[in-house]
DNA sequence: GAATACATCCACCGAATGGTGGAGCCCTGA
DNA sequence: TCAGGGCTCCACCATTCGGTGGATGTATTC
């Protein structure tokens, strides 16, 4: 019997998941939680085999909760279940120790198969997520910003001029211009405004 | 008996909702749909009293579907149920003819009360949504962009220079500069890049 | 050890942008 | 009818930005 804990802040989603697994004879929902911190304690106390974790939650989010859970209960497999499939969400989740990544438009059937696979220690990724990962690994160059570039872009989005970004990062203004040029090249844009826009579209900025 | 149709692209959410109303003796879920267009036909065919509508869906989105449904089946009350409570979502939905606006973190109990209220023709808004609406009505000035300004900002976010925005809108470059100045004033920023950023943060841009 | 990616820096130039202080027209609501 | 808001336009000027084509040092990888 696979012991499953559901962590999601929406009661309706929790209800739908509970319902989905109610018809299964090898999976039992032993607990639910509405945020990351609660999810960790539930999963630990109830010795969950698999944790279905939402990414966007108030308080501790899914990535942080996944990382913490990997420490507390290494035996619990974390399966991310989220609405968002954008590139910036997937990698941090996987890095934090999630074994799978599903989207909320998954059918109940897929969901059950994924939970069983996760319980066996196998990795399950939603097709669109897999594509993204492959795309990122195959060519880590085009499109992906370096940490420094992201940092610069975030400051630009916050209204800093090149000079202000430079002094904020303790480097020269010329370097900022270079970083921005690289960002423009990667994004295929020609100015900072659309670079910021692209940054938001790719969920790199907050 | 209140005839309810659920329109949401996530099977899990639909399941949760179905489950929620299964325990009710005065509400019956007569149909489900995964996108706006399907939702309209289902609601019309099944003569729904209330339609629970998600906003973000592939294909026809919730706002468009609500507007269309108000024409096809004026007797059906549309209740918006969404994850997002940001300012730009609420008003268009209400303007399109929705009678209520709930968030997905609503408890099953609130949900049922809301559906009953909607069936009676009463308006139900989630508390945080109400606050926003009041805030918007009380001072429509500070912070809210005019249609033209939004249009300009979107083009800027897409990489257009002032001149390009001007020719795209068939007006002079000077007007674009004026619009941008107004946007900067409203947003409290000093350049187009952070104006775009703020536009994304306020969910005014796509 | 060589190649690569990354971060840092330089100079020069034209073009775009932002700041300021106007102005007129149209529509809506008081 | 008048006030206010929204949209359009103008001129001038300093600043900033983007484009180009480099350069160096370091860490990592092959």
């Amino acid at each position: 019997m696979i012991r499953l804990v559901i962590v999601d802040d929406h009661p309706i989603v929790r209800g739908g998941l509970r319902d989905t697994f109610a018809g299964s004879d090898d999976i039992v929902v032993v607990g639910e939680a509405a945020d990351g911190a609660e999810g960790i304690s539930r999963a630990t106390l109830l010795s969950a085999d698999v944790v279905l974790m939402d990414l966007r939650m108030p308080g501790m989010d899914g990535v942080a909760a996944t990382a913490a859970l990997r420490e507390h209960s290494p035996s619990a497999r974390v399966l991310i279940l989220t609405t968002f499939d954008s590139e910036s969400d997937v990698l941090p989740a996987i890095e934090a120790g999630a074994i799978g990544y599903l989207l909320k438009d998954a059918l109940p059937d897929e969901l059950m198969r994924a939970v069983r696979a996760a319980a066996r220690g196998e990795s399950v990724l939603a097709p669109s997520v897999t594509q993204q990962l492959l795309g990122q690994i195959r060519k880590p160059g085009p499109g992906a910003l370096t940490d420094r570039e992201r940092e610069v872009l975030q400051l630009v989005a916050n209204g800093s001029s090149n000079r202000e970004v430079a002094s904020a990062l303790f480097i020269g203004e010329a370097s900022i211009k270079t970083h921005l040029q690289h960002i423009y090249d990667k994004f295929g844009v020609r100015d900072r405004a659309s670079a910021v826009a692209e940054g938001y579209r790719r969920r790199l900025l907050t």
Side-chain angles (χ1 to χ4, degrees), chain A:
Chain A
M1 206 62 160
I2 300 170
R3 301 171 62 80
L4 182 68
V5 165
I6 296 169
V7 186
D8 194 303
D9 58 326
H10 301 312
I12 296 160
V13 174
R14 289 203 304 274
L17 292 171
R18 208 187 309 125
D19 197 38
T20 299
F21 295 109
S24 160
D25 52 2
D26 59 341
I27 303 172
V28 55
V29 177
V30 294
E32 297 180 14
D35 63 59
E38 200 186 336
I40 293 171
S41 68
R42 288 287 156 83
T44 309
L45 282 175
L46 302 167
S47 47
D49 298 308
V50 179
V51 178
L52 261 188
M53 176 92 70
D54 191 13
L55 275 189
R56 310 271 175 120
M57 290 181 295
M60 180 184 271
D61 74 8
V63 172
T66 300
L69 194 56
R70 293 303 301 165
E71 292 207 17
H72 283 68
S73 307
S75 64
R77 322 278 191 180
V78 178
L79 199 51
I80 302 292
L81 179 68
T82 183
T83 313
F84 308 97
D85 65 345
S86 26
E87 76 179 56
S88 61
D89 290 332
V90 181
L91 270 189
I94 301 291
E95 278 165 10
I99 197 172
Y101 196 109
L102 294 175
L103 302 182
K104 277 190 184 158
D105 57 8
L107 298 174
D109 207 45
E110 302 177 64
L111 207 50
M112 287 204 272
R113 280 204 308 273
V115 169
R116 291 193 192 101
R120 287 193 303 269
E122 296 168 13
S123 194
V124 197
L125 295 179
S128 69
V129 173
T130 308
Q131 279 193 329
Q132 277 190 10
L133 268 189
L134 288 182
Q136 288 205 329
I137 292 167
R138 218 180 20 203
K139 1 180 215 171
L145 298 188
T146 67
D147 289 346
R148 201 52 156 174
E149 286 161 355
R150 234 190 317 275
E151 208 171 356
V152 169
L153 188 58
Q154 180 69 62
L155 288 167
V156 167
N158 292 344
S160 300
S161 68
N162 289 347
R163 185 173 307 173
E164 288 164 343
V165 175
S167 67
L169 299 182
F170 305 107
I171 59 178
E173 203 177 332
S175 307
I176 304 302
K177 296 184 69 173
T178 306
H179 287 311
L180 280 175
Q181 285 299 334
H182 292 163
I183 295 172
Y184 299 160
D185 290 344
K186 289 177 178 176
F187 280 2
V189 300
R190 295 192 331 277
D191 60 68
R192 51 178 51 215
S194 47
V196 166
E198 191 59 28
Y200 274 98
R201 293 185 188 124
R202 300 190 185 195
R203 303 189 153 276
L204 302 172
L205 297 177
T206 58

